[in-house]
Amino acid sequence: MASGTTPELVPRRTQEERRSEAENALLDAAAQLITEKGIHGASLAEIGRLAGYSRGLVNHHFGTKDALISRLIERSMRRYQHGVAREKGENGLETLLARARWYVDAYLQRTIEHPALLVMWGTALASDTDGTPVASADALARRLIEESIKLGQDDGSINAEIDLEASAYVLVGMLRGIAAMNMIKPGGLDVDRIRTAVLKSVRTALQA
Amino acid sequence: MASGTTPELVPRRTQEERRSEAENALLDAAAQLITEKGIHGASLAEIGRLAGYSRGLVNHHFGTKDALISRLIERSMRRYQHGVAREKGENGLETLLARARWYVDAYLQRTIEHPALLVMWGTALASDTDGTPVASADALARRLIEESIKLGQDDGSINAEIDLEASAYVLVGMLRGIAAMNMIKPGGLDVDRIRTAVLKSVRTALQA
Amino acid sequence: MASGTTPELVPRRTQEERRSEAENALLDAAAQLITEKGIHGASLAEIGRLAGYSRGLVNHHFGTKDALISRLIERSMRRYQHGVAREKGENGLETLLARARWYVDAYLQRTIEHPALLVMWGTALASDTDGTPVASADALARRLIEESIKLGQDDGSINAEIDLEASAYVLVGMLRGIAAMNMIKPGGLDVDRIRTAVLKSVRTALQA
Amino acid sequence: MASGTTPELVPRRTQEERRSEAENALLDAAAQLITEKGIHGASLAEIGRLAGYSRGLVNHHFGTKDALISRLIERSMRRYQHGVAREKGENGLETLLARARWYVDAYLQRTIEHPALLVMWGTALASDTDGTPVASADALARRLIEESIKLGQDDGSINAEIDLEASAYVLVGMLRGIAAMNMIKPGGLDVDRIRTAVLKSVRTALQA
DNA sequence: GATGAATGAGTTTTCATTCAT
DNA sequence: AATGAATGAAAACTCATTCAT
């Protein structure tokens, strides 16, 4: 970071930025259309058109629709990871709660591309589907949660006797399930009440 | 007609019997294929064939694919309701826990048609989808849970101060989300540990 | 007719009336639906239902859809023939004009089942179609017109030198064409003006 | 690139050329099949095949079957208009007669795509059909005829007192009806006699 | 890098017809 | 005479993919 004397005239571009403008536009369009119509309902032609390009550009850049989907999952997870990992609290428990709050807000209030990730998650439920990319995303999410729990157990803010993996599993499942229910019928219940109940449930379940 | 002593070897079925027999077979086949391939992947032709009939029968009986899906959701919810409402404990809290356990087992162990219901739930996440039948199913599930919580608050086994609706929302979301994660990658974590963590979480969150 | 002493207690029923009530109801329903949706658009199931019976009755009574159509053309032509042959004037020319007026009114004002006949006529234009029943109806219509022209030529009211068959051909074509144009866009021009122009054209073309 | 002297044996067509070439071939094939089998009998797959392309191309270019039909009607009317407007006589009446003769010949002798136009006209008779494109074609044909009549009334070759619009209506109806009758049963009457009768009828009806 | 023409597989839907009741 | 369950052929339409420009 503080890299000595040479000032960085050209700020480092992340891998994402280096990727062609067109590809990012296509991924954005894909995320939007998938959120609206599901994976199957989002056609490559429409994705291209919405991105401001042509019918054929998705195949040109990604080869196949499946490849586009995988890339979208990757990009979304990377962003998710950056978002959630930034959340920190004064101890493990508070970090965990901050992350849970971030998640609830990201989904319940339908920010950015997370809804698309959730829709793809829903599509992966069928058993013949190749759920690998989505399953990796689930695993990563659990690991981020497990990490906070571990921290909390180490610093004494979280009960040392709880089952680390199972708790993370239940917590991630809860967050996903709630977000999904809210997508199916938005506004079914006030978001504040849901957030409060979630955080209270997490706190009572895990605190030392 | 005047049947006398000779038993009819092939009992003649009435039109009514033929009808409901065929419809149930079609719904069974649809549930199985939807679980495997998702709503979109399950073609009407294959549903008819798997049910032991022709490819045109689904349309003959249900008119459209959407109508078939709605009917399947209805039937599944009816069965779910019967299953869960049978579960009773010595007080409200125990009833609630029994119901949660029933739910976890029904989904995690992939009994009957519940997985198909979950797959249809996942498909309803896209916002342009007509999620109404699925949303009703969610609402019904929440109402059944709210009912047990209310009972527990009345008999003193559940904390009177918790937010009834929000708690039910969170609980149902948690159960759905966990079941879904398990469908995407079965065996990711031992079912017993998950069940234990779920029940413990519910108990600590709600008990008086 | 005046059949001696025995009074006819039971009045003779025409062939049409003797035909089962159901068959006539089916033909009525067919005529209506064909007028609205064309031959292809009128399904046997809907014809049965509109007639107040079941899906399967058309096949039960007529065997095939083609047979139903033929029977409908026959019945319509019989009724047409009765209608037009009744029209008489003081001489051949006036008879002809009366018949032309009857035709214009029957079609332009969309009475009874004649529109269905016209729709079936329009369908028969495609060359692979079996136009035989419709062609017979055309031929019959021309013969009725030829008959009046012949009468007029015999009684001196119609020019003896005109080409009998060609004139009938042109006249029937004119009536059909005008009726058809009016069906495609009803009210495109005032019926009175059309009727007047038709009759004037016929009179000047044929009069002695 | 730097092409030098070698001529390109297979001239590269631009996308634009490929497009209009394919569309015209599809319209030609559609006209032929519609003439033979009617609109409903002409399947998109067969149209594509007859045009020398694949079964999916009609949808690719025209979107829907209805759009294809509309385009075909437009193209036919454009050609009709060019053909009929070229016909000129020494005065209004002779122009009108020349146009009528052109029409009779075009249809009775089954030239090019005019028969298809007539078949589509026949299909539009059913009232629920969207007859708009066909109705426009009728209106255009009438306008072209009205124009000649007006000319004749101005130059004194046509009776100034006749009802302009009604006469055009009757004349177009006559031409259409005769052509249609002839399509249903070709050769029913000698074309020369029909042509003569038509022209005589027009002349006596309209001349000054 | 980008466009869009062309393909053909796959799916839903309609419907005349057959046949059991 | 009448019903309606079941069949299977036919067709329009969608769309991922390939390929020429």
Side-chain angles (χ1 to χ4, degrees):
Chain A
M1 289 289 181
S3 62
T5 51
T6 322
E8 298 202 63
L9 295 177
V10 177
R12 288 234 182 114
R13 298 202 293 168
T14 67
Q15 191 184 352
E16 236 172 73
E17 288 170 323
R18 257 197 311 278
R19 211 172 271 158
S20 91
E21 212 176 300
E23 288 196 14
N24 273 314
L26 290 171
L27 290 173
D28 289 343
Q32 182 180 330
L33 287 170
I34 287 171
T35 302
E36 289 168 9
K37 312 181 172 188
I39 290 183
H40 174 252
S43 76
L44 298 190
E46 202 179 357
I47 290 170
R49 202 165 50 73
L50 180 63
Y53 293 90
S54 71
R55 207 165 25 210
L57 200 65
V58 170
N59 284 289
H60 186 64
H61 273 283
F62 298 99
T64 68
K65 187 172 186 176
D66 279 356
L68 169 75
I69 299 295
S70 290
R71 289 280 291 274
L72 181 57
I73 293 176
E74 281 169 30
R75 195 184 75 165
S76 301
M77 273 313 294
R78 210 164 35 244
R79 292 183 177 182
Y80 164 78
Q81 191 176 6
H82 287 156
V84 85
R86 244 193 332 260
E87 297 293 324
K88 296 271 168 60
E90 56 191 24
N91 58 32
L93 180 59
E94 295 305 321
T95 296
L96 185 69
L97 290 168
R99 291 179 171 183
R101 186 183 298 112
W102 182 91
Y103 189 95
V104 170
D105 290 345
Y107 279 94
L108 290 194
Q109 295 164 14
R110 295 177 153 264
T111 21
I112 34 175
E113 77 199 30
H114 297 265
L117 193 51
L118 205 54
V119 170
M120 294 186 285
W121 183 76
T123 303
L125 290 173
S127 48
D128 281 4
T129 310
D130 175 19
T132 327
V134 166
S136 308
D138 275 351
L140 173 58
R142 289 206 304 276
R143 238 174 300 126
L144 287 172
I145 296 296
E146 284 171 12
E147 182 194 297
S148 334
I149 297 181
K150 191 77 176 56
L151 234 68
Q153 291 183 318
D154 288 348
D155 68 24
S157 58
I158 292 181
N159 183 346
E161 293 181 355
I162 64 156
D163 182 335
L164 183 75
E165 290 172 336
S167 298
Y169 201 97
V170 169
L171 179 49
V172 171
M174 180 171 77
L175 295 171
R176 292 266 151 90
I178 289 169
M181 272 177 49
N182 192 261
M183 276 196 82
I184 288 173
K185 187 168 164 42
L189 191 62
D190 182 63
V191 175
D192 287 334
R193 287 168 67 191
I194 296 174
R195 190 193 299 104
T196 305
V198 167
L199 297 178
K200 204 171 135 201
S201 160
V202 175
R203 186 183 292 273
T204 55
L206 301 185
Q207 70 190 349
Chain B
M1 290 291 181
S3 60
T5 51
T6 319
E8 295 204 334
L9 293 180
V10 177
R12 292 294 167 93
R13 289 164 303 161
T14 65
Q15 303 257 67
E16 186 58 40
E17 281 165 344
R18 282 170 82 191
R19 176 166 199 94
S20 82
E21 198 173 303
E23 291 197 356
N24 274 314
L26 291 170
L27 289 173
D28 289 342
Q32 182 180 330
L33 287 170
I34 286 170
T35 303
E36 290 168 9
K37 312 181 174 189
I39 289 183
H40 174 252
S43 79
L44 298 186
E46 201 177 357
I47 290 171
R49 200 168 52 73
L50 181 62
Y53 292 91
S54 70
R55 79 195 158 99
L57 199 65
V58 170
N59 284 291
H60 178 67
H61 275 286
F62 300 99
T64 66
K65 189 173 185 175
D66 277 358
L68 169 75
I69 300 294
S70 289
R71 288 284 295 276
L72 181 56
I73 293 175
E74 278 170 31
R75 195 184 75 166
S76 301
M77 276 310 293
R78 219 167 24 244
R79 293 182 177 181
Y80 164 77
Q81 194 173 5
H82 287 157
V84 88
R86 247 200 324 266
E87 297 293 325
K88 294 271 167 61
E90 56 191 26
N91 58 31
L93 181 60
E94 295 306 321
T95 296
L96 185 69
L97 291 168
R99 290 179 172 184
R101 187 183 298 113
W102 183 92
Y103 188 96
V104 171
D105 290 347
Y107 280 90
L108 291 194
Q109 292 163 18
R110 300 179 150 263
T111 23
I112 34 174
E113 80 199 27
H114 297 270
L117 191 50
L118 206 55
V119 171
M120 294 186 283
W121 182 76
T123 303
L125 289 173
S127 46
D128 281 4
T129 311
D130 175 19
T132 328
V134 165
S136 308
D138 273 352
L140 172 59
R142 289 209 305 277
R143 237 173 302 126
L144 289 172
I145 296 295
E146 284 172 11
E147 183 193 295
S148 329
I149 299 182
K150 190 78 176 56
L151 235 69
Q153 290 183 317
D154 289 347
D155 67 24
S157 59
I158 291 182
N159 184 346
E161 294 181 354
I162 65 157
D163 182 335
L164 183 73
E165 289 171 337
S167 300
Y169 201 97
V170 168
L171 178 48
V172 170
M174 179 173 76
L175 294 171
R176 290 251 201 285
I178 290 169
M181 269 176 49
N182 191 262
M183 276 197 81
I184 289 173
K185 186 166 164 43
L189 191 63
D190 183 61
V191 174
D192 286 334
R193 287 169 67 190
I194 297 174
R195 191 195 297 106
T196 304
V198 167
L199 296 178
K200 205 172 135 201
S201 160
V202 176
R203 186 182 293 273
T204 55
L206 301 185
Q207 70 190 350
Chain C
M1 287 287 183
S3 62
T5 51
T6 321
E8 298 202 62
L9 295 178
V10 177
R12 289 230 182 117
R13 299 203 292 171
T14 67
Q15 193 184 350
E16 236 173 70
E17 286 171 324
R18 258 197 310 279
R19 212 171 269 158
S20 93
E21 210 175 301
E23 289 196 13
N24 272 313
L26 290 171
L27 289 173
D28 289 343
Q32 182 180 329
L33 287 171
I34 285 169
T35 301
E36 290 168 9
K37 311 182 174 188
I39 289 183
H40 175 250
S43 78
L44 298 189
E46 202 179 358
I47 290 170
R49 201 164 51 74
L50 180 62
Y53 293 90
S54 71
R55 221 192 332 239
L57 200 65
V58 170
N59 283 290
H60 186 64
H61 273 283
F62 298 98
T64 68
K65 188 173 185 176
D66 280 355
L68 168 76
I69 300 294
S70 291
R71 288 280 292 273
L72 181 58
I73 293 177
E74 281 169 30
R75 196 184 74 166
S76 301
M77 273 312 295
R78 210 166 35 243
R79 292 183 178 181
Y80 164 76
Q81 191 176 4
H82 286 157
V84 87
R86 246 200 324 265
E87 297 294 324
K88 294 269 167 61
E90 55 190 24
N91 58 31
L93 181 59
E94 295 306 321
T95 296
L96 185 68
L97 291 168
R99 288 178 174 184
R101 186 183 298 112
W102 182 90
Y103 189 94
V104 171
D105 290 345
Y107 279 94
L108 290 194
Q109 294 163 15
R110 295 180 154 264
T111 24
I112 35 175
E113 78 199 27
H114 297 265
L117 193 49
L118 205 55
V119 170
M120 293 186 285
W121 182 75
T123 303
L125 291 172
S127 48
D128 282 4
T129 311
D130 175 20
T132 327
V134 165
S136 310
D138 276 351
L140 174 58
R142 289 206 306 274
R143 239 175 297 127
L144 287 171
I145 296 297
E146 286 172 10
E147 183 194 297
S148 332
I149 298 181
K150 190 79 177 54
L151 234 68
Q153 291 182 318
D154 289 348
D155 67 22
S157 58
I158 292 182
N159 183 346
E161 291 181 357
I162 64 156
D163 182 333
L164 184 74
E165 289 171 338
S167 299
Y169 202 97
V170 169
L171 179 49
V172 170
M174 179 172 75
L175 295 171
R176 291 267 151 90
I178 290 169
M181 272 176 48
N182 191 261
M183 276 197 83
I184 288 172
K185 186 167 163 47
L189 190 61
D190 182 61
V191 175
D192 287 334
R193 286 168 68 190
I194 297 174
R195 191 194 298 104
T196 303
V198 166
L199 297 178
K200 204 172 136 200
S201 160
V202 175
R203 187 182 292 274
T204 55
L206 302 185
Q207 69 190 350
Chain D
M1 290 296 176
S3 59
T5 50
T6 319
E8 295 204 335
L9 293 180
V10 178
R12 292 296 167 92
R13 290 163 303 161
T14 65
Q15 303 259 64
E16 186 58 40
E17 283 166 343
R18 283 171 81 192
R19 177 170 196 92
S20 82
E21 199 175 302
E23 290 196 357
N24 274 313
L26 290 171
L27 289 173
D28 289 342
Q32 181 180 329
L33 286 170
I34 286 171
T35 302
E36 290 167 10
K37 312 181 173 189
I39 289 183
H40 175 252
S43 79
L44 298 186
E46 202 177 357
I47 290 171
R49 200 168 51 73
L50 181 62
Y53 291 92
S54 71
R55 80 192 160 100
L57 198 65
V58 171
N59 283 291
H60 178 67
H61 275 287
F62 299 100
T64 67
K65 188 173 186 174
D66 277 357
L68 169 75
I69 301 294
S70 289
R71 288 283 296 274
L72 181 56
I73 292 175
E74 278 169 31
R75 196 184 74 166
S76 302
M77 277 311 293
R78 218 166 27 243
R79 294 181 176 181
Y80 163 78
Q81 194 173 3
H82 287 159
V84 89
R86 249 200 322 266
E87 298 292 326
K88 293 269 167 62
E90 55 191 28
N91 59 31
L93 181 60
E94 295 307 320
T95 297
L96 185 69
L97 290 167
R99 288 178 174 185
R101 187 183 299 113
W102 183 90
Y103 188 95
V104 171
D105 290 346
Y107 280 90
L108 291 194
Q109 293 163 17
R110 298 177 153 266
T111 23
I112 35 175
E113 79 198 28
H114 297 269
L117 192 50
L118 206 55
V119 170
M120 293 187 283
W121 182 75
T123 303
L125 291 172
S127 47
D128 280 5
T129 311
D130 175 17
T132 327
V134 166
S136 310
D138 275 350
L140 172 59
R142 288 209 307 276
R143 238 175 299 126
L144 289 172
I145 297 295
E146 285 172 10
E147 184 193 294
S148 330
I149 298 180
K150 191 77 176 56
L151 235 69
Q153 291 183 319
D154 289 347
D155 67 24
S157 58
I158 292 181
N159 184 345
E161 294 181 355
I162 65 157
D163 182 335
L164 185 74
E165 289 172 337
S167 298
Y169 201 96
V170 169
L171 179 48
V172 170
M174 180 172 77
L175 294 171
R176 289 252 202 284
I178 289 169
M181 268 176 48
N182 191 262
M183 277 198 80
I184 289 172
K185 186 167 164 44
L189 190 61
D190 182 61
V191 175
D192 287 334
R193 287 169 66 191
I194 297 174
R195 191 193 300 104
T196 304
V198 167
L199 296 178
K200 206 172 133 201
S201 159
V202 175
R203 187 182 292 274
T204 56
L206 301 186
Q207 70 189 349

